[in-house]
Amino acid sequence: MTRPLTPPPDNDQELVNFLQQHRPQPPVAAPDLEERIMGAIEQPEQRQVRRQRWYRSPWLPTTIAASLIAGVLGYRTIAPSRPTPAQLEALEAFIETTWEASVNDDAEDEWSILRSQKSQTSLVANFSDSPSSVSNFPLPDRR
Amino acid sequence: MAIESQEPPEQNRQISAKESDQDLVQQCLQGDSQCFRLLYRRHQKRVRSILYQLCDTSMLDDVVQEVFLRAWKGLPKFRQSSQFSTWLYRIAWNVASDYRQAAAQGRTRLQVITQHASTQQDAADVMHLHYQDLVKRGLANLSFDHRTILVLHDLEEIPQKEVAEILGIPVGTVKSRLFHARAAMRQFFQKEGVQL
C-alpha cells in the first residue's frame, strides 16, 4: 500500500512569503548598459576573427600544397644523377677485389692487395662527384 | 500600405513590442538586431534579479551583459521547442556558475555595498533591512544547487517544470532540492531568532 503524498507544510508558504518580501534587491543598472550591449552585438564579425584558430585558417591547405610541391621539386634538383654503365662496371670490379681482401684473415695479404689496387681506387674516385674521394684517402704504409 | 510605411520608428517598435518572443527571435535571426533590444527590455529585470541572488556580484552589469551577449551569439542554435525565457534563464544560470567557479579560483570578489543605508531610518525600515540582510545571508549559506532552486522557484516564481528544464534535471530532483533548501533556510532563520 502506497503512502499518499503529503501536502507541503503550511509554513512553507509563510517562508516563501517572507523570502519574497525581504529578498535582496539588485542595484539599478547603469544607464548606458542597454547601449553597451547593443553596441557589442553589432560587431560580432571582429570577435569571430580574433577567436579564429590557426588550424581553421583558409591559408592552411594552400600552405600544405605549396610545401609538398617545393619538397618534390627540391628533391629532383638535389638528388644525384644516375651513374654511366662504365662507372658501374668499374665500381663492380672494385667491390669484387676489395671483397676478397675483406674476407682474408691475413693482414699482410690484405695490405698488399689494397696497395696493388691503389690504381683502381683512383678510378672509383672519378666515379664519385665528391672531391673527397678514395684516392685522397691515405693508405697506411706498413714498411 | 503607404500610411503604415510613414509611421515613425518608435511606433513601429511599439507594434513589435506586442510580438511574441518567438517572433522577435525570428526577426533577430534575419539580422534585425533592434528586435533583440526588445527582448532585452522584456527579460533584463528578471535576469538581473536571478544573477544578483546567485552571484551577489558587484559587477552585476558586466554579468548581465555577458548573459545577453551569449544569448545573441547562441540565437542561431536556439531550438525553439522551448520558451525563449527558459533558454535565457539557463544561460544566466550557466554564467552564474562560471562566475562562481572563477570566484572560487581566487579572483577578487568585492563586497557589495548596499545602497539602502540611510542615516534617517524608522524602525520599520530598520527591521526590513535586517530581514533583507538575513535573507541574503541565508541564501549565501545554501549550496549553489539549493540556492538556485530557491531563487528560481520561490523568488522568481518559475514553475517546477520550467525550473527542471532550465537546469536540465528531473522534476523530482527539483522537488527534492526545494524541500532540502527550504529546510536549510528555515533552520538558518531559527538560528538567527526568526521563527517561520
Side-chain angles (χ1 to χ4, degrees):
Chain A
M1 187 178 160
T2 55
R3 222 176 73 181
L5 284 173
T6 51
D10 292 340
N11 56 2
D12 262 7
Q13 195 52 49
E14 205 179 333
L15 173 72
V16 172
N17 289 342
F18 182 83
L19 290 174
Q20 286 179 351
Q21 197 180 345
H22 302 293
R23 61 189 291 173
Q25 295 298 322
V28 181
D32 65 334
L33 180 61
E34 185 177 319
E35 291 310 317
R36 259 166 46 196
I37 292 172
M38 293 308 294
I41 67 168
E42 276 161 10
Q43 4 174 315
E45 295 302 320
Q46 290 173 3
R47 286 171 171 274
Q48 283 175 4
V49 168
R50 275 205 302 274
R51 287 184 180 178
Q52 211 166 42
R53 308 283 184 201
W54 64 269
Y55 49 80
R56 290 181 186 165
S57 166
W59 292 100
L60 187 65
T62 316
T63 310
I64 292 172
S67 305
L68 283 173
I69 291 168
V72 170
L73 290 177
Y75 176 76
R76 286 194 176 183
T77 312
I78 296 166
S81 58
R82 289 188 167 217
T84 61
Q87 285 173 327
L88 283 172
E89 269 181 35
L91 179 65
E92 225 170 272
F94 171 74
I95 291 170
E96 277 173 13
T97 50
T98 52
W99 171 255
E100 284 172 12
S102 64
V103 295
N104 193 348
D105 286 341
D106 191 348
E108 203 56 47
D109 289 347
E110 181 186 336
W111 290 116
S112 63
I113 288 167
L114 277 174
R115 270 196 296 275
S116 69
Q117 297 301 325
K118 194 175 180 182
S119 59
Q120 288 187 5
T121 56
S122 62
L123 179 63
V124 176
N126 291 336
F127 163 73
S128 171
D129 290 341
S130 167
S132 61
S133 59
V134 182
S135 62
N136 293 336
F137 187 79
L139 288 172
D141 192 4
R142 297 292 299 252
R143 278 180 298 179
Chain B
M1 294 271 287
I3 294 169
E4 280 179 15
S5 63
Q6 285 170 359
E7 284 177 344
E10 290 80 9
Q11 202 169 339
N12 283 332
R13 284 299 119 206
Q14 280 177 355
I15 291 167
S16 296
K18 291 174 188 172
E19 292 176 19
S20 68
D21 283 354
Q22 305 294 339
D23 292 338
L24 291 174
V25 167
Q26 282 301 325
Q27 290 177 58
C28 285
L29 289 172
Q30 287 164 12
D32 186 355
S33 60
Q34 288 307 310
C35 286
F36 193 73
R37 188 189 290 273
L38 295 173
L39 286 171
Y40 167 79
R41 286 180 183 170
R42 264 182 206 177
H43 297 285
Q44 66 91 18
K45 195 175 174 187
R46 213 166 186 187
V47 166
R48 191 175 182 81
S49 176
I50 290 171
L51 288 171
Y52 183 68
Q53 313 299 341
L54 293 182
C55 299
D56 190 20
T57 171
S58 57
M59 298 181 295
L60 190 58
D61 283 355
D62 293 339
V63 185
V64 171
Q65 182 173 342
E66 176 68 18
V67 169
F68 281 95
L69 282 182
R70 280 198 199 180
W72 170 257
K73 286 177 191 168
L75 272 182
K77 294 176 192 168
F78 168 49
R79 292 176 192 167
Q80 300 192 23
S81 53
S82 65
Q83 286 183 19
F84 174 76
S85 59
T86 306
W87 179 72
L88 186 65
Y89 299 155
R90 183 169 178 80
I91 293 175
W93 178 69
N94 280 331
V95 170
S97 301
D98 290 351
Y99 175 85
R100 254 183 68 85
Q101 282 173 4
Q105 282 168 7
R107 286 194 191 168
T108 309
R109 192 174 176 185
L110 298 173
Q111 290 292 324
V112 177
I113 302 166
T114 53
Q115 298 171 350
H116 305 291
S118 170
T119 51
Q120 293 180 340
Q121 303 271 351
D122 57 18
D125 282 349
V126 171
M127 281 313 287
H128 178 63
L129 279 178
H130 171 65
Y131 288 145
Q132 247 186 2
D133 178 61
L134 215 57
V135 172
K136 194 173 172 181
R137 285 194 289 125
L139 286 172
N141 194 44
L142 296 177
S143 71
F144 187 65
D145 284 343
H146 286 169
R147 197 198 317 188
T148 304
I149 292 287
L150 213 63
V151 167
L152 293 178
H153 186 267
D154 284 354
L155 296 188
E156 298 301 329
E157 297 178 279
I158 298 172
Q160 288 185 357
K161 195 181 168 189
E162 200 179 334
V163 172
E165 209 177 328
I166 291 168
L167 302 179
I169 55 176
V171 178
T173 309
V174 172
K175 288 181 181 181
S176 161
R177 284 186 191 173
L178 190 60
F179 174 80
H180 289 293
R182 283 175 177 168
M185 206 65 176
R186 197 173 283 116
Q187 198 177 2
F188 174 81
F189 286 145
Q190 264 179 357
K191 217 166 69 178
E192 296 289 329
V194 178
Q195 198 75 30
L196 288 168

